[in-house]
Amino acid sequence: MSNRVNQLTTLGVFMLGFLLGGASLLFFTSNNGSQLSSFSLRSKNNIEAGVAPSDHRRGLQSLTGFTDPRSITQKTAPIRLPQEEASTRYVHVGSMCRCASGLLPVPGPIMAAGHDTQIVQPPSIATGRYDAKHFVLHGSEGGCSCIENSGRNQGAETTTDMFLKKLKRKCPNPQYPTKYDWDDMPDLGVEESLPIFVGVLSYESPLSLNGTLHNWLDHDLFRRIHAQDVFVQLNHRSQLDDEIMQEFQESQRLREQQSPITVLGSPEDNLHPGLALSNMCRRAEAHPNSHPNGENLLMFLEKDWNLYNGANDVPRNIEALFRGINALAQRGVPYIRLKQRSGEVKEEKMWKCSSQGFPFECTHAHQHRWTNQPMVISCKWFLRYLEPFALLDDPIMYGCREGFQENRYCDWEEAAQDGRIAWSNSQWVSANLVYPQHRLFVHKEVDQ
């Protein structure tokens, strides 16, 4: 409990500005949405991509040479941010998928090859002071499908905008050529793949942890969701905990399913879920594969949540689920529960919020209580709004349950539900899986 997280304070208000240019039409290859580091020019329209750098950066081209007075970059040229060295990173985005009213938009798999949109967004405090964003568009194999809301897609949100239709006029004018058409507009607000980390919390439950880890291994969970690291927090860490983690990592090696794992905790540690989330999100920020602006995702799981194993359950299609989560988290939903909605939430307080063709139900924090059940959260959101409550070390946070005052332990879930944490009076959007069509985790406790 005495473990504190240092808070960084940034002072000052700076204004936007960089004169950017010189973009030429290039083609890229993306590796699971990672940023590109090195490439060799083969022809005007073809580039061979290299491996992603840890800091997601590339040097900017010259900031001179613009003469078009109508250019937005020309207009912002005199406004500059004070910074050490100008740099840029490639941001990989897909195409929008839109359908006529009453149909469900389902994008196809993202193509590895992409092309330069020639959109370079200057650095700003809002988007990352030291990085310009250079957008690379990756289309969908087979394009966008428009299907009926039925079967496995039952419960998904269909388009209801009666005015959504393709452009009918003759466009573009040959006098003003364009690279885009209505069916291939870039979805510039959604990066292909935000870095996702996994956080596991265990308290004196080595047998449950062991069973759960091997259940996840059977489904190759960490590699299928491209987890950048797995943080395992062992509260009251024991020798048996260590033996189980060592044996599990050896099982990964023998099955050629290695994934990065960071084991945390000590015999004295007893981090409540709020502090565990704080610690894991800050470790994600410090990780070499962190998002440069801190836009990391964290899947948080307690030690006893096993994946379902039915033929029609979500683990069979977990890649589609996490593609939907990736987009949902970038469209205003910072808290995605990997379970069905709680029973006390009335259906009329929910709305359908499918993402990338995967069904979700959404509501507000004011309507749906916080739970410690399996979830994916935006670390940037958690650190900004909820971490201060995790750092509040005061007897009021320990509540009235027996032993909690003496041990200075906060029941995070209870504190979020009774109002000590500003959850129920907030309007954050939260999402849930649609049940019974989409089951993912089942509770399986062994240490009892």
Side-chain angles (χ1 to χ4, degrees):
M1 192 67 68
S2 61
N3 192 13
R4 296 286 188 165
V5 180
N6 292 327
Q7 295 178 307
L8 302 177
T9 304
T10 303
L11 300 176
V13 178
F14 303 95
M15 296 198 65
L16 171 68
F18 263 100
L19 179 59
L20 303 169
S24 58
L25 184 61
L26 304 175
F27 277 78
F28 299 82
T29 300
S30 170
N31 181 16
N32 295 325
S34 61
Q35 312 302 329
L36 307 180
S37 65
S38 60
F39 47 85
S40 58
L41 186 63
R42 289 178 176 267
S43 68
K44 179 180 179 181
N45 295 328
N46 187 25
I47 277 187
E48 183 177 52
V51 181
S54 61
D55 63 353
H56 306 275
R57 297 186 175 197
R58 285 186 53 83
L60 279 175
Q61 296 180 354
S62 171
L63 301 180
T64 61
F66 276 92
T67 56
D68 184 359
R70 297 172 298 176
S71 166
I72 181 63
T73 50
Q74 178 70 17
K75 292 177 181 178
T76 61
I79 310 171
R80 295 183 179 274
L81 281 173
Q83 60 182 38
E84 299 168 357
E85 181 182 353
S87 60
T88 190
R89 67 184 181 94
Y90 289 107
V91 176
H92 300 268
V93 299
S95 300
M96 295 185 195
C97 185
R98 295 159 294 173
C99 300
S101 183
L103 297 175
L104 175 68
V106 180
I110 296 174
M111 299 174 63
H115 70 267
D116 188 356
T117 64
Q118 299 188 24
I119 299 171
V120 181
Q121 184 180 17
S124 76
I125 294 173
T127 62
R129 281 185 59 194
Y130 300 110
D131 285 311
K133 297 168 68 174
H134 193 145
F135 292 89
V136 179
L137 174 62
H138 297 262
S140 297
E141 295 180 9
C144 175
S145 301
C146 299
I147 62 176
E148 299 288 340
N149 178 25
S150 60
R152 288 281 294 162
N153 295 303
Q154 186 66 40
E157 179 189 26
T158 56
T159 304
T160 57
D161 188 350
M162 299 299 294
F163 298 97
L164 180 61
K165 53 189 176 182
K166 295 185 178 182
L167 294 174
K168 298 298 184 182
R169 63 185 178 86
K170 292 183 178 180
C171 184
N173 186 326
Q175 188 175 352
Y176 304 101
T178 177
K179 296 187 298 181
Y180 306 105
D181 57 34
W182 190 92
D183 293 312
D184 195 32
M185 289 298 296
D187 196 353
L188 297 170
V190 176
E191 296 188 28
E192 268 188 28
S193 183
L194 297 182
I196 185 163
F197 296 81
V198 177
V200 182
L201 181 62
S202 179
Y203 173 80
E204 296 184 358
S205 302
L207 300 181
S208 294
L209 177 65
N210 183 58
T212 300
L213 287 172
H214 284 276
N215 168 265
W216 297 342
L217 185 62
D218 289 341
H219 290 275
D220 202 6
L221 173 64
F222 302 147
R223 294 199 309 169
R224 289 174 66 193
I225 68 171
H226 305 294
Q228 302 302 309
D229 207 340
V230 180
F231 306 122
V232 182
Q233 172 65 39
L234 300 172
N235 285 341
H236 290 188
R237 184 172 175 172
S238 67
Q239 181 178 346
L240 183 54
D241 283 324
D242 287 338
E243 291 172 358
I244 283 170
M245 292 307 304
Q246 291 171 7
E247 187 274 334
F248 174 70
Q249 289 174 291
E250 178 64 12
S251 296
Q252 284 186 308
R253 186 188 67 79
L254 293 175
R255 295 172 64 164
E256 297 183 346
Q257 294 177 223
Q258 295 97 323
S259 58
I261 292 182
T262 302
V263 181
L264 309 170
S266 72
E268 296 77 30
D269 269 354
N270 190 17
L271 301 187
H272 62 71
L275 279 176
L277 287 165
S278 168
N279 184 29
M280 292 165 180
C281 279
R282 288 193 171 270
R283 288 180 177 274
E285 276 193 348
H287 195 278
N289 294 335
S290 170
H291 190 281
N293 299 335
E295 296 179 44
N296 300 305
L297 302 179
L298 178 74
M299 178 168 69
F300 180 76
L301 302 165
E302 292 185 326
K303 81 294 179 184
D304 46 13
W305 287 105
N306 282 212
L307 289 164
Y308 274 104
N309 200 32
N312 296 318
D313 290 322
V314 173
R316 302 282 179 169
N317 197 26
I318 203 166
E319 293 85 356
L321 166 64
F322 276 82
R323 184 181 179 188
I325 288 173
N326 176 73
L328 206 60
Q330 296 179 75
R331 288 175 170 146
V333 185
Y335 173 72
I336 299 122
R337 298 180 68 254
L338 302 177
K339 295 284 289 180
Q340 74 273 35
R341 70 174 185 265
S342 297
E344 71 272 12
V345 182
K346 296 181 179 179
E347 188 172 353
E348 59 266 26
K349 299 295 184 181
M350 309 289 297
W351 67 89
K352 296 174 182 177
C353 53
S354 62
S355 177
Q356 304 296 83
F358 201 94
F360 294 91
E361 291 181 325
C362 283
T363 188
H364 291 111
H366 186 66
Q367 303 294 339
H368 197 297
R369 59 189 172 89
W370 171 283
T371 76
N372 294 335
Q373 292 182 345
M375 69 183 86
V376 175
I377 64 166
S378 160
C379 277
K380 193 168 186 176
W381 163 81
F382 182 87
L383 293 174
R384 167 64 178 83
Y385 296 105
L386 295 182
E387 185 188 52
F389 292 98
L391 301 175
L392 180 55
D393 187 8
D394 184 271
I396 195 172
M397 297 303 291
Y398 310 148
C400 302
R401 296 174 64 180
E402 184 178 354
F404 280 32
Q405 290 281 342
E406 292 80 358
N407 294 317
R408 302 175 65 184
Y409 184 84
C410 171
D411 186 327
W412 179 261
E413 186 174 61
E414 185 178 83
Q417 293 174 5
D418 66 20
R420 284 172 285 163
I421 297 172
W423 177 261
S424 61
N425 58 337
S426 302
Q427 295 297 335
W428 296 308
V429 178
S430 66
N432 306 273
L433 295 184
V434 177
Y435 267 47
Q437 296 96 333
H438 297 92
R439 303 186 308 172
L440 184 60
F441 285 105
V442 59
H443 190 259
K444 191 172 182 180
E445 178 68 70
V446 178
D447 300 88
Q448 293 289 356

